[in-house]
Structure formats: structure tokens, C-alpha cells
Amino acid sequence: MAPKAPKWRDLADRFGEQIRNGDYEPGQQLPQIRELVEAGEGSKETVHRAYKALEAEGLVTMTRGHGTVVRPKSPLKRLGIARYDKAKWRDGDEVAFIADRVASGRTYSRNEQTQNVSRVKAPAAVAEAHGLPEGADVYARARLVKEGTQPTHTLTSYYRPEHVEGTRIVDPTPGPAGRGGGFRVLYDAGYEIDHMREELFARVPTAEEAQLLQLSPGEWVVELHRTTYTADGTVVEFAIGVHAATRFAWSYDFKVPDSAASEGESK
């Protein structure tokens, strides 16, 4: 006769089945360990081992202060070029993080983006992007974006004061900066975005990032540097984003360039 599975394994299997059957929705918190102990499900160590097993299987994330939360069923599609389509934010109200949700067939709420706006001294990378001396004054608009209760990424945009002073961009009210978000604010101020450069790299998160994004042990982040230009080359935004690596699937759709054909046409 096969040996009986330990109690923590039985508990993990039961919760795993409930998660796969949809009894617990993505982003929903599982019962607190204390609650299960009081309900007679086992000792604190038993429940903790069960939850750690679920985390190892990729079904939940465990973070101090946030409990044990069910992971999304599939990564969000983080659109490349398409997420910045002017028709979305200039003519409508589909800011970038909402465009990702729509493309992924997921629901959203505008207040799932919080923000903190402050006037700060430009760090080296920000100063270089804007062509300013290091330590010059810039506005920092720091956002934390969640899907339900689970954070997905942070994004901090830096602006020259003369571009955004007195606009909705420096309003700390949670959610996008009014209809169409920050790009629409810049557009209305006479700074229509024309092109941008994005740089991506993966790295180990800091302890603060791991806690803020509720990352599983060993989970990496993808850092994004986005520089946004007007048609005449003026930098109107430099943004740094930190994304939970497993919560996004990055997608780019673009026309393949043919520099030889372009050279031939110019002759």
C-alpha cells in the first residue's frame, strides 16, 4: 500500500484543484494561514508548506503584508507600437495600460493606476535623456498599476517643468491624467508625440520592488526605458518602468525596413 501523503500535500492539492476549477479568481486572496489553522486544517507549518507548494507550482504568489494571491491565468499582452496608437488616446480614452488590458480581453478600472507627483532633482539617466544638467528640476509622475489587487508594474515619467507646469500631468489625483492620459495632455499643450525609443532589460529586483510588486522568490523584473519625442526631436517624456517578468507577454508588430530600397529612391 502506497504511503499516505502528508497533510500539507493534501491541502495543497485541494487548493490547487479549486484554483484550476475557477473557484478562486485570478488576483483573489486565499484564506489567511491563521484562518485555516483556526478551522482545523493543520498547524501553521502545515498550511505554510501547502501554500509554498502552490507558489512553486506557479499558482499563487506569497508576499508579506499581502497574503497569498492567485496568479493571473495568462500573462497580459503588453502591446508594442499598437499600445501608443494616437487614435486610442487622442481621439478616445484608451491610455497605454488600458490598451494592454483590452488586447488581453481583461477587465480594468481607471483607478487601478495610482500615482504620486513631485518636483525632484533629475538623476543622471533622466538628465541625459532630456539634455539637462544632472540635478536640474524635473517633474516625476510615479505610477503603480494593478490588475485587481495584484500589482503588474510601476512606471515613473519625468518631464521638463516648462512642458507640464499647470497641466493635469502634475495633478496627483489617482488614475490617468484626464481623458487620454499624459500623451493627450502633452498634445493639448502643443507637444504632439511623434516617435519614441524603448529599451528593455531583465534584472533581479530590489527588495523594495519585490515587496511592492508582490513577486515570488526568484522572480525577475523587466526594466523599461522609454524616451518620447516630438517631430522636431524634442524629448517630452523619459519614463522608467519596472514590470513583473511573468505577468507580461511583450508583443511588437512593425513593418520590416528596407534601407537599400530607401537609398535607391533617394538617388
Side-chain angles (χ1 to χ4, degrees):
M1 188 174 69
K4 186 177 180 181
K7 191 167 184 177
W8 66 264
R9 184 68 263 175
D10 288 339
L11 187 61
D13 289 344
R14 174 150 47 93
F15 272 111
E17 184 177 357
Q18 290 174 329
I19 291 170
R20 294 184 182 93
N21 290 341
D23 296 336
Y24 287 95
E25 296 291 330
Q28 185 175 350
Q29 187 173 347
L30 296 187
Q32 296 284 345
I33 292 177
R34 170 181 48 80
E35 295 173 354
L36 292 177
V37 172
E38 292 175 353
E41 294 288 359
S43 67
K44 182 178 179 180
E45 181 182 359
T46 294
V47 179
H48 185 262
R49 289 190 67 180
Y51 278 2
K52 291 299 289 184
L54 293 173
E55 184 177 49
E57 293 166 21
L59 295 175
V60 302
T61 57
M62 295 177 67
T63 53
R64 182 172 297 176
H66 297 280
T68 303
V69 178
V70 178
R71 281 181 176 271
K73 293 179 180 178
S74 60
L76 281 166
K77 293 180 181 178
R78 190 186 183 285
L79 302 178
I81 298 169
R83 75 196 304 262
Y84 302 123
D85 186 345
K86 292 183 182 180
K88 296 182 186 297
W89 52 264
R90 182 194 59 204
D91 307 329
D93 191 22
E94 198 172 298
V95 299
F97 92 85
I98 293 177
D100 294 339
R101 302 286 177 84
V102 171
S104 303
R106 310 265 263 267
T107 59
Y108 64 87
S109 170
R110 290 176 65 85
N111 65 11
E112 287 177 331
Q113 173 181 293
T114 61
Q115 59 191 350
N116 178 50
V117 180
S118 57
R119 189 159 174 153
V120 302
K121 301 299 181 183
V126 175
E128 181 180 2
H130 278 288
L132 295 169
E134 187 173 346
D137 279 0
V138 292
Y139 274 103
R141 182 169 169 251
R143 284 94 84 198
L144 172 65
V145 182
K146 296 182 177 182
E147 184 180 16
T149 60
Q150 185 178 58
T152 57
H153 65 289
T154 64
L155 184 70
T156 302
S157 296
Y158 296 91
Y159 308 91
R160 286 176 175 252
E162 62 267 28
H163 291 163
V164 299
E165 197 90 66
T167 71
R168 296 190 307 274
I169 281 178
V170 296
D171 180 352
T173 303
R179 180 175 173 80
F183 290 150
R184 178 57 190 265
V185 174
L186 291 169
Y187 176 83
D188 290 341
Y191 301 105
E192 180 176 2
I193 67 170
D194 178 76
H195 59 284
M196 59 179 60
R197 181 175 68 246
E198 289 192 341
E199 299 171 295
L200 302 168
F201 58 93
R203 61 172 174 80
V204 174
T206 65
E208 182 181 3
E209 290 166 345
Q211 181 177 12
L212 183 63
L213 295 175
Q214 301 177 23
L215 302 177
S216 299
E219 184 173 1
W220 281 35
V221 293
V222 174
E223 184 168 322
L224 161 76
H225 289 189
R226 180 177 78 199
T227 311
T228 305
Y229 305 83
T230 60
D232 66 3
T234 300
V235 175
V236 289
E237 180 214 37
F238 176 70
I240 299 176
V242 179
H243 302 71
T246 61
R247 295 172 200 167
F248 288 91
W250 302 74
S251 174
Y252 288 90
D253 185 2
F254 50 88
K255 185 176 180 180
V256 177
D258 186 350
S259 58
S262 299
E263 291 173 3
E265 293 172 358
S266 63
K267 292 180 180 179

